[in-house]
Amino acid sequence: MVEKLNESVFYVGANHPERRLFDELIPLPDGTSYNSYLIKGSKKTALIDTVDPEKSEILVNKLEKLGIDKIDFVIANHAEQDHSGSIPVILDKFPEAKVATNTKCKSMLEDLLLIDSNKFQVVGDGDTISLGDKTLKFIIAPWVHWPETQFTYLVEDKILFTCDFLGSHYASEELFVEDKVKTLETAKRYFAEIMMPFSNMIKKDLKKIDGLDIKIIAPSHGLLYKDYDFIVDAYKDWISENNKNEVIIPYVSMHGSTKKMVDYLSEKLKSEGIAVKLFNLTGVDLGELAMSLVDAATVVLATSTVLAGPHPSAVYAAYLLKALRPKIRNISLIGSYGWGGKTEEIISSLTSTLKVDLIDPVIIKGYPKGKDFSLLDTLVERIAKKHEEFS
Ligand code: FEO
């Protein structure tokens, strides 16, 4: 089905409800969509982004149903292949089309998709392209979440096409947001997984759309927004310096000693009025873990010792923590060993680039005993004191 945003703008994207993993890493509980939009001006026609190559046929069929026999511009707002991957198919079918994008995106599309350099029309920040009675205005908005990203603003219709920005992995038969609670959940997951490391850049990009007269925000994944204040406000909160009075404990325990420490710590933290979220790293949904990191103040990583170091699942979690760069304020480590190991050194080296306070780890020998619980009590006191500083 081709859906109309208005008489000149059509949704020609594709749902992918059965997709369960993105980037071979990120779980997709709600599938995803690749949003592509066709704009028919009085003189020229433009396609905003395309779809994942796996779904090219859907895009082509929709264009055929609309009777499109000429596309003048393919606007590439983002070079990642889930949006750009069908550009070669479109260029084959509409050889007169030019790919309109910024210099950086052009270079990436040449590298990633082997598109010939003479197929491009380069645009810069504030540049416009006229389709006759419609005007496309380009807003360069880097790092949401790649360096070449841009937004396209359809001036007359006040529609802002934001590529991944403000999007969500959500395959739905609806076009526009109706359930804001569900949308916030999917959008937060999406933000946590790919946008969070670029929070500082996102502040700048939000400013770029502040003051723009917008009727519709049309991202390249998930549902479109007519009433968009709630998602913009959520982004502002997620990138703010506000933290929840909450501790995230990703843990892996081989024989129960570390789990005993986790349970003790968790109960003690709760008794101090601090919220706790536990994530068993064996089979964890990385999206859930990432979402929890958007707001929390502290992470305590808990690991058994295996082969003289942290469990590989804990190494993976520490690496993700480093890569996702959440706004957490404190980090600590707990765990148990049988005869020795370098758990603390290895985890510390993995998380050393995070701008956080390291609260003294509690690494104990064997199953936790009286003095070990005292060490955990001290850890709770330290966390509670740190949390008092911002609450
Ligand atoms: Fe949906 Fe960054 O691609």
Side-chain angles (χ1 to χ4, degrees):
M1 189 176 68
V2 178
E3 286 146 302
K4 268 185 176 180
L5 275 70
N6 61 33
E7 290 309 307
S8 313
V9 184
F10 303 85
Y11 178 88
V12 289
N15 268 345
H16 199 163
E18 68 280 16
R19 188 162 181 180
R20 282 291 162 264
L21 207 56
F22 201 84
D23 291 344
E24 301 303 319
L25 173 70
I26 299 167
L28 299 178
D30 300 299
T32 193
S33 68
Y34 318 109
N35 299 347
S36 173
Y37 306 91
L38 187 89
I39 303 169
K40 284 164 100 171
S42 58
K43 293 186 177 155
K44 294 188 173 174
T45 298
L47 184 68
I48 309 271
D49 292 317
T50 66
V51 299
D52 190 277
E54 202 176 319
K55 298 290 180 185
S56 295
E57 205 180 328
I58 292 178
L59 170 61
V60 169
N61 286 342
K62 286 186 175 182
L63 295 175
E64 281 172 2
K65 272 190 191 144
L66 282 171
I68 302 301
D69 55 9
K70 186 166 181 273
I71 287 179
D72 300 280
F73 300 103
V74 181
I75 311 301
N77 281 338
H78 179 23
E80 192 164 10
Q81 294 91 328
D82 51 326
H83 310 294
S84 67
S86 296
I87 293 178
V89 174
I90 297 297
L91 293 179
D92 270 354
K93 197 168 166 59
F94 303 97
E96 71 283 8
K98 288 283 184 194
V99 180
T101 193
N102 61 80
T103 311
K104 212 170 256 176
C105 189
K106 171 180 180 279
S107 165
M108 292 175 84
L109 291 173
E110 288 170 355
D111 284 338
L112 296 171
L113 298 171
L114 311 180
I115 298 174
D116 199 282
S117 95
N118 67 19
K119 297 301 292 181
F120 289 90
Q121 176 166 329
V122 172
V123 295
D125 194 40
D127 285 357
T128 57
I129 285 179
S130 174
L131 306 178
D133 60 346
K134 304 283 176 195
T135 312
L136 300 175
K137 184 170 184 179
F138 302 99
I139 301 167
I140 304 300
W143 291 111
V144 293
H145 59 127
W146 279 20
E148 86 306 352
T149 44
Q150 65 178 39
F151 305 151
T152 300
Y153 181 56
L154 180 55
V155 177
E156 292 76 8
D157 300 86
K158 303 180 181 9
I159 302 174
L160 184 67
F161 301 94
T162 55
C163 68
D164 284 340
F165 192 52
L166 308 175
S168 55
H169 284 308
Y170 189 37
S172 167
E173 292 307 310
E174 307 295 331
L175 189 59
F176 288 96
V177 169
E178 286 182 6
D179 181 344
K180 288 184 186 173
V181 173
K182 176 67 180 171
T183 300
L184 272 180
E185 179 195 318
T186 54
K188 188 175 186 181
R189 175 181 272 264
Y190 189 72
F191 170 87
E193 290 163 342
I194 68 166
M195 297 288 173
M196 187 157 63
F198 309 106
S199 292
N200 282 335
M201 293 304 294
I202 285 170
K203 271 180 202 154
K204 291 180 188 163
D205 292 325
L206 276 172
K207 279 195 185 131
K208 288 195 171 187
I209 64 171
D210 235 10
L212 205 58
D213 189 4
I214 302 170
K215 272 191 180 161
I216 294 173
I217 288 181
S220 58
H221 291 290
L223 297 167
L224 287 66
Y225 304 89
K226 280 181 183 160
D227 169 13
Y228 55 83
D229 282 352
F230 81 97
I231 188 69
V232 171
D233 288 346
Y235 260 64
K236 284 180 181 168
D237 180 46
W238 297 335
I239 62 175
S240 75
E241 291 179 3
N242 302 333
N243 290 94
K244 277 188 193 162
N245 182 22
E246 186 170 77
V247 175
I248 306 303
I249 309 181
Y251 71 91
V252 54
S253 182
M254 290 161 62
H255 298 294
S257 303
T258 298
K259 182 64 166 52
K260 179 73 181 171
M261 297 174 77
V262 166
D263 289 342
Y264 183 84
L265 182 73
S266 170
E267 289 310 310
K268 277 279 171 178
L269 286 166
K270 285 183 204 165
S271 72
E272 290 291 325
I274 299 171
V276 177
K277 280 189 184 154
L278 302 181
F279 291 92
N280 185 345
L281 291 169
T282 307
V284 69
D285 176 335
L286 290 178
E288 293 284 341
L289 177 55
M291 277 168 81
S292 76
L293 297 172
V294 171
D295 311 294
T298 298
V299 170
V300 178
L301 185 58
T303 179
S304 304
T305 303
V306 57
L307 300 173
H311 191 285
S313 296
V315 172
Y316 186 49
Y319 183 79
L320 273 177
L321 200 57
K322 170 187 164 162
L324 291 174
R325 282 184 266 154
K327 62 181 181 186
I328 55 167
R329 292 165 180 257
N330 315 294
I331 191 167
S332 191
L333 177 69
I334 64 173
S336 165
Y337 62 89
W339 57 91
K342 293 193 178 299
T343 292
E344 190 176 331
E345 294 93 316
I346 293 169
I347 295 293
S348 292
S349 72
L350 279 170
T351 56
S352 61
T353 55
L354 289 171
K355 290 179 185 149
V356 293
D357 289 342
L358 175 66
I359 304 178
D360 287 347
V362 179
I363 305 293
I364 64 152
K365 187 170 189 193
Y367 200 75
K369 301 165 268 304
K371 66 179 181 357
D372 303 321
F373 293 117
S374 301
L375 292 172
L376 290 172
D377 290 341
T378 304
L379 176 56
V380 170
E381 280 167 26
R382 286 179 175 152
I383 290 171
K385 194 159 185 305
K386 291 272 187 191
H387 283 211
E388 274 169 20
E389 288 167 12
F390 68 83
S391 59

